[in-house]
Amino acid sequence: MQKTTYRYEQSAARLTVEGFPDLSAGQGNDSIGILSGWRLQLVAAPELEGTREHLEAMMAVVMPYARHCLSKAPKRFGEGDGFVSIGPDRAGHQLELRSSREGVAPLQLQLDDADLADLVRCLDRLRMDQRVQLSWTLPMDRPLHRRELAERIPLHRRLASPVLGGLALILGAAGSMVLPLPPVQEPVPVEQQAEPLAEPAQP
């Protein structure tokens, strides 16, 4: 059986997958239903390779992380003992890869926005490719929670409005206590004039 190879290229990333069709599922010769290997080449980084579990772990953390970055709410994705994790860094984004072999130190890669965008495009093209008929175990795309959207605003900006509103209320109350009250004027009695009695009519 001949091995099938597909390649997905962008300016800063090149992803290559290899495999065979799953004949028991009736797949054609140009399909990949059994992944035998993959290779990922990023700019200024060593070539990466691994099993399907490694590739699936990368897709499971990089794709949702990119969505959070687009919403300006980046946070770290990936468990501490998982194969892949990614999170924001002062220089951009830090991608950490951990080998399943014992004694191999984790590999840390620094990505800028362009590198991350090209990596996401390659992974997304692989996921949407109808020729690669693999059932990926990936988290569902869900909208961000309101708390995550609120956290993208710096804390000092979130507190500015209520703090300023409270100060304005306090200053207004204090000012009303300092200002002197106007003097109370005593009511002036109204003099009632008696109306003259009408004279009787003369016969």
Side-chain angles (χ1 to χ4, degrees):
M1 186 183 302
Q2 185 177 1
K3 181 185 297 185
T4 302
T5 302
Y6 291 120
R7 181 176 297 170
Y8 312 92
E9 294 190 43
Q10 295 293 326
S11 300
R14 182 176 67 247
L15 175 63
T16 304
V17 295
E18 299 175 343
F20 304 93
D22 188 355
L23 299 180
S24 62
Q27 298 177 359
N29 293 331
D30 60 342
S31 301
I32 294 181
I34 302 173
L35 187 67
S36 60
W38 60 273
R39 298 185 303 275
L40 175 63
Q41 180 66 59
L42 298 172
V43 173
E47 186 178 67
L48 308 175
E49 60 181 11
T51 64
R52 171 178 172 170
E53 287 75 16
H54 297 101
L55 180 58
E56 199 168 60
M58 181 179 297
M59 297 171 67
V61 299
V62 171
M63 305 296 285
Y65 174 75
R67 290 181 55 246
H68 277 68
C69 289
L70 289 175
S71 300
K72 300 186 183 302
K75 67 175 185 178
R76 176 162 290 277
F77 279 82
E79 300 295 335
D81 55 350
F83 292 128
V84 184
S85 65
I86 187 171
D89 187 77
R90 288 180 298 177
H93 317 277
Q94 185 184 72
L95 178 65
E96 184 170 290
L97 308 171
R98 305 177 189 89
S99 176
S100 55
R101 303 174 184 174
E102 296 184 0
V104 179
L107 176 63
Q108 294 182 349
L109 302 177
Q110 297 294 331
L111 307 178
D112 58 19
D113 292 341
D115 298 334
L116 177 62
D118 286 347
L119 175 59
V120 170
R121 290 190 184 99
C122 289
L123 295 176
D124 195 52
R125 289 176 58 191
L126 168 63
R127 185 181 63 164
M128 302 301 295
D129 194 343
Q130 298 295 327
R131 301 170 300 178
V132 182
Q133 301 181 16
L134 297 171
S135 298
W136 302 107
T137 305
L138 301 175
M140 295 181 60
D141 293 338
R142 300 181 182 275
L144 272 65
H145 297 289
R146 295 180 61 182
R147 178 179 58 82
E148 293 175 324
L149 293 174
E151 288 178 352
R152 67 182 180 177
I153 304 175
L155 182 60
H156 66 278
R157 290 181 56 188
R158 280 183 280 160
L159 296 178
S161 296
V163 169
L164 291 178
L167 287 177
L169 181 61
I170 294 174
L171 292 177
S176 63
M177 296 176 62
V178 173
L179 293 176
L181 296 176
V184 179
Q185 297 181 356
E186 297 182 358
V188 179
V190 179
E191 296 181 359
Q192 298 181 354
Q193 297 180 357
E195 296 182 359
L197 297 176
E199 296 181 356
Q202 296 181 359

